[in-house]
Amino acid sequence: VNNNDAVCNRFLSSYSDNRDIWFVNNGNGIYKFDQDTLVSGRFSEPTFNAVNSMNAISKTDYIAVTDFGTIRFTPGPDHHPNATLLNPTAVKDILPGYRNNYWLSTDNGLILYNSFSNAFRFFDYTFGQTVTEYITGASYNDNKNKMLFFGGINGFTAIGHTYYDEAMDYMPALYD
């Protein structure tokens, strides 16, 4: 990219959504393959281009995590995505969770983001986490075992999904 300029060629991750293959570039935004050509998708806001990772929210919307926050974007027809800042916290990585939830790793714990309600929930040392400072790119989604892993400076965090059916939590009526 950009005549092999080392600063412009800092690709951190890739993402495939069964339609396109995307590449994340920390400093130059996102790129995707379009008919065997690597097409740039720079954001109009310069800080949005410090992308670390991305994921799809729907067929048309994506979420990207950057050194300057979490953004939601829709690719534009001219390859310049329309983006909105969701949260200004610097994020290292993102993995999809269960039912519209996405887990984000930061320098100060984990964040659970729900794309349906647009709500963020922060988990740090006050929640008993012993690992709170995470590393860019140190994550893994184990689909077979339904586990997410985030690597930090002093260990890793594993997140598992367990199904809880509230309808099965039956409490009979109590009478005096």
Side-chain angles (χ1 to χ4, degrees), residues 27-39:
N28 281 302
I30 55 172
Y31 289 77
K32 80 171 184 175
F33 267 119
D34 189 8
Q35 299 177 4
D36 295 330
T37 303
L38 193 61
V39 179

Side-chain angles (χ1 to χ4, degrees), residues 7-19:
V7 174
C8 295
N9 286 297
R10 188 172 172 210
F11 289 91
L12 295 179
S13 66
S14 61
Y15 174 74
S16 173
D17 61 4
N18 297 324
R19 293 183 314 273

Side-chain angles (χ1 to χ4, degrees), residues 115-145:
S115 63
F116 183 74
S117 64
N118 203 34
F120 289 83
R121 184 170 178 193
F122 294 80
F123 298 91
D124 57 14
Y125 68 93
T126 61
F127 282 89
Q129 277 193 252
T130 55
V131 180
T132 55
E133 188 173 342
Y134 294 93
I135 300 169
T136 302
S139 66
Y140 177 70
N141 184 352
D142 180 358
N143 286 320
K144 180 181 176 187
N145 297 306

Side-chain angles (χ1 to χ4, degrees), residues 103-104 110-111 134 145-150 156-161:
W103 287 92
L104 307 120
L110 293 172
I111 300 173
Y134 294 93
N145 297 306
K146 296 183 176 151
M147 296 287 293
L148 306 177
F149 297 93
F150 290 97
F156 70 92
T157 300
I159 301 168
H161 171 73

Side-chain angles (χ1 to χ4, degrees), residues 15 17 19-20 22 30 32 43 54-63 72-77 81-83 102:
Y15 174 74
D17 61 4
R19 293 183 314 273
D20 298 304
W22 299 83
I30 55 172
K32 80 171 184 175
F43 295 99
M54 68 176 280
N55 217 296
I57 292 179
S58 68
K59 290 182 179 181
T60 58
D61 288 348
Y62 296 86
I63 186 170
R72 185 173 185 153
F73 70 94
T74 304
N82 302 315
Y102 296 86

